[in-house]
Amino acid sequence: MLTGMAALAGAGVGAGSALVFAERRAAAQDRELESLARRVTTLERLSERVTRLEAGPSSPIARGQPD
């Protein structure tokens, strides 16, 4: 009887430990996803800037031509 209760208690500790590990892992994955999202946003902005720079100035004044 005591052995069975001890085994159940041990299983509970093991399950609790696994739950804590899973929660920590999920939190780490959330942080990684947030970091990746920021990087993607930064890359999108840089890509837009490069596209605008490659297109060149659009106004005559910016091109150095009289209007």
Side-chain angles (χ1 to χ4, degrees), residues 24 26-36 38:
R24 288 181 181 167
Q29 289 174 337
D30 286 347
R31 287 190 301 273
E32 182 65 21
L33 284 173
E34 290 169 2
S35 174
L36 290 171
R38 285 191 299 273

Side-chain angles (χ1 to χ4, degrees), residues 35-54:
S35 174
L36 290 171
R38 285 191 299 273
R39 290 178 189 175
V40 167
T41 300
T42 300
L43 289 172
E44 287 172 341
R45 289 179 183 160
L46 286 171
S47 177
E48 290 169 1
R49 289 174 68 185
V50 168
T51 300
R52 285 194 306 268
L53 288 170
E54 288 176 342

Side-chain angles (χ1 to χ4, degrees), residues 55-66:
S58 57
S59 72
I61 293 173
R63 288 190 300 241
Q65 299 174 355

